[in-house]
């Protein structure tokens, strides 16, 4: 199988390390605009000179699968070109910048019968797998609410705002955990840096079942731990899932899970907590590169089996793009925004971001 990776900047290096960990270097061609990054890849992983380059098209025709790890605003065009040439595609999140782009890719996937998987790697984390199984088995009881914090002092990405790079991870994860997409969002975002992209965000989501979720993200809030992906960063990446029988609190940065067996009962006219066991299951610790390898292995399995991947072009593509556009509509209007499909949402994401409030 011939694998083409497009992009070595930022997270692309972790993809390269993951392919190496999977024993796929001999199958790999790598493209990047930087000669320095290409030289480093050749030196560290022994990639032959004729398998690296600054232009992707000479390699694209012979590729079986394409791994796209480029700036977000280039994702849609690269995915569409690869799909039309009959290639299976893995693309880092977000899949597209707008819902209209997402709808076009979904249509192209259906037409071409190709595989397209989106890179939301927290779905593959042992913590997420554990929480998902606990919910599936009914161990938590009826789910009431979820909350997540993905934030910390770190460099601000230059292609998308913090909701679109960090908060979106937990929005996607929450959708996967409860098997629903939100019907309405209320969002507050701020652009303290004056870049035209938010650096602080709070998103409230209401689901059709009545479950409520909150996701906070930002570059300006302190984090608890040294980040394992971004240099010179202190971040917090934690979620809480509340059921009517048990609650789970999980920290992805230190691979810690706490499960509280607590419910409320009416006692003498007062709703009081009834405490049971508090447990902390030991789960496998994984590095960011191992997580990338897990999702790439799942992608290759979908390619081999010709089965729809998880996360796919609809659940983590079109539906998530609609959620993100609702986030920016809500931030612009100051009111809750219903989730709209691409055929009725005409505003571009860029214009919505530009109209959002600037912080002080």
């Amino acid at each position: 199988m011939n694998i083409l990776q497009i992009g070595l900047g930022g997270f692309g290096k972790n993809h390269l390390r993951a392919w190496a960990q999977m024993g796929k270097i001999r199958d790999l061609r790598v493209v990047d605009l930087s000669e320095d990054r290409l030289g480093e890849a050749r030196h560290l992983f022994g990639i032959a000179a004729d398998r690296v380059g600054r232009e992707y098209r000479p390699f694209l025709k012979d590729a079986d699968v394409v791994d796209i790890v480029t700036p977000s605003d280039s994702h849609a065009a690269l995915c569409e070109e690869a799909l039309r040439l009959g290639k299976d595609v893995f693309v880092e999140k977000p899949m597209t910048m707008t819902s209209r782009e997402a709808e076009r890719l979904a249509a192209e996937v259906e037409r071409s019968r190709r595989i397209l998987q989106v890179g939301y790697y927290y779905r593959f984390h042992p913590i997420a797998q554990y929480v998902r199984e606990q919910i599936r088995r009914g161990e938590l009881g009826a789910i009431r609410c979820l909350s997540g914090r993905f934030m910390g002092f770190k460099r601000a990405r230059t292609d998308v705002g913090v909701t679109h790079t960090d908060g979106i991870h937990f929005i996607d994860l929450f959708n996967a955990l409860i098997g629903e997409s939100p019907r309405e969002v209320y969002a507050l975002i701020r652009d303290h840096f004056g870049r035209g992209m938010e650096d602080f965000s709070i998103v409230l989501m209401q689901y059709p079942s009545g479950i409520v979720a909150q996701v906070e993200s930002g570059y300006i809030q302190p984090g608890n731990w040294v980040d394992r992906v971004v240099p010179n960063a202190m971040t917090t990446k934690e979620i809480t899932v509340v059921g009517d029988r048990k609650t789970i609190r999980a920290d992805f940065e230190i691979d810690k899970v706490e499960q509280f067996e607590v419910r409320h009962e009416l006692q003498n006219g007062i709703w009081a907590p009834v405490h049971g066991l508090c447990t902390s299951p030991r789960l496998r610790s994984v590095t960011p590169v191992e997580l990338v390898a897990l999702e790439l292995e799942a992608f290759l399995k979908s390619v081999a089996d010709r089965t729809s991947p998880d996360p796919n072009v609809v659940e983590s593509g079109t539906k998530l793009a609609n959620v993100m556009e609702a986030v920016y509509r809500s931030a612009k209007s100051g009111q809750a925004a219903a989730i709209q499909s691409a055929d009725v949402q005409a505003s571009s994401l860029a214009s919505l971001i530009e109209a959002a409030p600037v912080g002080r």
Side-chain angles (χ1 to χ4, degrees):
M1 175 181 288
N2 291 328
I3 302 167
L4 171 60
Q5 178 177 327
I6 307 176
L8 280 175
F11 210 62
K13 294 178 181 178
N14 284 331
H15 277 242
L16 184 57
R17 295 185 185 104
W19 288 122
Q21 182 175 295
M22 295 162 62
K24 298 294 185 181
I25 288 296
R26 290 186 177 181
D27 303 322
L28 191 65
R29 279 77 173 166
V30 182
V31 172
D32 193 88
L33 294 176
S34 168
E35 291 286 1
D36 290 340
R37 287 196 289 260
L38 290 172
E40 183 181 17
R42 288 185 58 199
H43 173 71
L44 292 178
F45 298 97
I47 304 174
D50 62 351
R51 295 192 172 207
V52 302
R54 298 184 64 195
E55 297 290 337
Y56 68 89
R57 287 195 175 96
F59 297 104
L60 185 57
K61 57 182 175 56
D62 294 323
D64 297 303
V65 301
V66 181
D67 180 17
I68 298 172
V69 203
T70 57
S72 300
D73 56 6
S74 66
H75 288 179
L78 288 171
C79 286
E80 192 166 11
E81 183 175 356
L83 290 169
R84 287 181 175 176
L85 290 174
K87 315 301 178 182
D88 296 308
V89 175
F90 183 99
V91 60
E92 262 301 333
K93 59 80 188 168
M95 185 181 79
T96 62
M97 293 295 290
T98 70
S99 61
R100 291 195 181 280
E101 291 173 337
E103 292 284 357
R104 286 202 304 270
L105 287 188
E108 188 57 37
V109 167
E110 184 175 4
R111 184 204 65 79
S112 65
R113 315 308 297 174
R114 295 290 96 191
I115 302 295
L116 190 152
Q117 181 173 319
V118 190
Y120 288 100
Y121 78 166
Y122 282 98
R123 288 192 181 212
F124 296 87
H125 198 290
I127 287 176
Q129 297 290 316
Y130 175 80
V131 174
R132 196 172 192 173
E133 181 63 13
Q134 293 296 295
I135 293 174
R136 188 192 68 81
R137 291 170 51 188
E139 292 294 324
L140 307 187
I143 302 302
R144 289 174 165 169
C145 61
L146 308 93
S147 63
R149 298 194 302 160
F150 199 126
M151 63 191 195
F153 298 143
K154 65 176 183 177
R155 60 170 172 77
R157 272 183 60 164
T158 59
D159 55 343
V160 290
V162 72
T163 320
H164 230 147
T165 187
D166 289 346
I168 198 170
H169 269 299
F170 284 169
I171 295 172
D172 175 77
L173 179 59
F174 288 170
N175 294 351
L177 289 178
I178 64 176
E180 297 182 56
S181 293
R183 64 175 178 84
E184 186 178 63
V185 302
Y186 178 76
L188 294 170
I189 67 175
R190 291 293 183 270
D191 176 18
H192 299 93
F193 302 157
R195 306 177 307 139
M197 293 177 283
E198 80 277 10
D199 46 61
F200 171 83
S201 168
I202 296 177
V203 178
L204 295 172
M205 300 175 288
Q206 185 170 189
Y207 290 84
S209 63
I211 295 173
V212 175
Q214 173 182 309
V215 175
E216 178 182 357
S217 56
Y219 301 131
I220 62 172
Q221 309 98 302
N224 293 332
W225 313 106
V226 175
D227 193 279
R228 292 188 286 182
V229 176
V230 181
N232 192 35
M234 296 289 293
T235 54
T236 292
K237 302 170 187 176
E238 61 185 24
I239 64 169
T240 301
V241 182
V242 179
D244 64 3
R245 291 178 52 207
K246 296 180 182 179
T247 291
I248 289 178
R249 182 170 62 194
D251 191 321
F252 288 96
E253 280 296 273
I254 58 173
D255 298 315
K256 182 179 180 180
V257 175
E258 297 171 292
Q259 188 159 305
F260 304 91
E261 188 177 344
V262 180
R263 68 183 190 279
H264 280 74
E265 290 184 355
L266 187 61
Q267 300 175 355
N268 300 319
I270 297 174
W271 284 96
V274 178
H275 296 272
L277 294 176
C278 174
T279 58
S280 186
R282 292 190 176 184
L283 304 178
R284 180 166 68 97
S285 181
V286 291
T287 67
V289 173
E290 288 171 331
L291 269 184
V292 174
L294 286 173
E295 63 178 348
L296 291 177
E297 286 167 355
F299 167 63
L300 293 184
K301 187 176 188 305
S302 290
V303 170
D305 297 343
R306 308 314 299 170
T307 54
S308 178
D310 180 18
N312 60 50
V313 69
V314 175
E315 299 302 327
S316 298
T318 57
K319 290 184 178 181
L320 208 50
N322 290 328
V323 172
M324 291 305 301
E325 288 181 346
V327 165
Y328 291 111
R329 286 202 312 276
S330 174
K332 176 183 176 182
S333 68
Q335 300 178 341
I339 307 300
Q340 297 180 355
S341 59
D343 57 347
V344 296
Q345 176 54 34
S347 299
S348 72
L349 188 56
S351 66
L352 290 170
I353 295 173
E354 289 169 2
V358 174
R360 294 288 184 264

